[in-house]
Each structure stands twice: as C-alpha cells, then as structure tokens.
Amino acid sequence: MVSISEVRVALMGLVLKLAELRGNEIDVVSMDGKSVRGVWEDDEQLKLLHLFSREGSMALDQVEIARHEPRAAEEWIRSLSAHFPSLKVLSGDALYADTSLAETIALVIEGASHGQSTETRCPAICRPTPTLTLKRPW
C-alpha cells in the first residue's frame, strides 16, 4: 500500500519537473482555502488549503485544513517551502494577515539566512531539497 505522504512527495516531484521543463521559476505562490463539495468527515465538510503557481499555471499542493487556514499555511511553509528555492511571495486573502503565520515565515527565512539545515527546519517530507533560500525582496 502506498502512503499519502509518498503520493504527496511523488506529485511534488512531478510539479517541480514540469516547472523545470517549462522554464518556470516558482517565485509566487497563491494560497486559498476551499471547501470540498460532497465530502464530509465527522459531520464537517472537508476543507483544503490550495496552493497554486501563477507562473507555472499549476496546483502545487493541497493541505487539509484541520482548524483554520493560517495554521494549514504555516504547516505548508514549514514542511514544503524548501522545494521552492526561488519563492519570494506568498499571496492570500485577508484571512492570512495573521501574526503567527508571519512569525513562521520570518523563522523560515531567518533559518535559511543562518545556514540552518533543511532537516532542522523541516520534517521528513521536504528533506530531498538540500537548502532553502527564501530572500526578502528588498
């Protein structure tokens, strides 16, 4: 049996290869929460955080929203942002104007600027990428 994390890693590899073949650098990622119609778990409609690249015209990932969208975005940033070394901008609606989310982004950037290893900053799913090079655009 194939695990969800194995499928997720394989799909991430496909997305990254497609971007490379198309000559796209993924430097802008848009985030938005979506309710999945007709899918209910424990009397609650399933909600996903959808991450999309405008440059590559492709969905990058989907993350289940356990509590609310900014926490799901934090988890994505911690676990998968290392796959996108050219990432400079995360965009989302007003819901993402969240102090905790901003602190997570700052910690990831700070860890990268201090040469902290990917293994220290991220769980196992993002370890194939050796470094994270998020930079402030100014």
Side-chain angles (χ1 to χ4, degrees), residues 1 6 17 22 27 36 42 52 60 86 104-105 115 136:
M1 178 178 266
E6 290 172 319
K17 188 64 176 175
R22 292 176 177 173
D27 57 358
V36 182
D42 300 323
F52 184 82
L60 302 175
S86 60
T104 298
I105 293 168
R136 293 184 178 99

Side-chain angles (χ1 to χ4, degrees), residues 61-132:
D61 200 6
Q62 290 186 351
V63 180
E64 183 177 358
I65 298 172
R67 292 176 299 221
H68 63 294
E69 290 177 41
R71 298 301 81 78
E74 282 181 54
E75 180 57 35
W76 185 84
I77 291 165
R78 277 193 215 102
S79 67
L80 290 175
S81 61
H83 284 289
F84 305 98
S86 60
L87 182 62
K88 293 181 183 88
V89 177
L90 288 168
S91 68
D93 56 27
L95 187 60
Y96 297 101
D98 180 85
T99 304
S100 181
L101 178 57
E103 288 170 354
T104 298
I105 293 168
L107 286 172
V108 169
I109 292 170
E110 183 178 317
S113 67
H114 287 84
Q116 190 178 26
S117 73
T118 305
E119 288 79 10
T120 304
R121 292 189 314 273
C122 305
I125 194 166
C126 72
R127 289 189 184 157
T129 303
T131 60
L132 173 65

Side-chain angles (χ1 to χ4, degrees), residues 1 7 9 20 35 54 78 136:
M1 178 178 266
V7 170
V9 168
E20 177 187 326
S35 295
R54 184 184 56 81
R78 277 193 215 102
R136 293 184 178 99

Side-chain angles (χ1 to χ4, degrees), residues 13-86:
L14 174 65
V15 164
L16 293 171
K17 188 64 176 175
L18 281 173
E20 177 187 326
L21 292 172
R22 292 176 177 173
N24 297 115
E25 282 194 11
I26 299 172
D27 57 358
V28 178
V29 173
S30 300
M31 303 179 289
D32 194 21
K34 300 291 180 194
S35 295
V36 182
R37 290 185 179 199
V39 179
W40 293 78
E41 291 183 1
D42 300 323
D43 294 327
E44 290 188 26
Q45 193 169 16
L46 180 64
K47 294 182 174 86
L48 298 173
L49 175 65
H50 180 78
L51 296 121
F52 184 82
S53 166
R54 184 184 56 81
E55 295 92 348
S57 298
M58 65 181 91
L60 302 175
D61 200 6
Q62 290 186 351
V63 180
E64 183 177 358
I65 298 172
R67 292 176 299 221
H68 63 294
E69 290 177 41
R71 298 301 81 78
E74 282 181 54
E75 180 57 35
W76 185 84
I77 291 165
R78 277 193 215 102
S79 67
L80 290 175
S81 61
H83 284 289
F84 305 98
S86 60

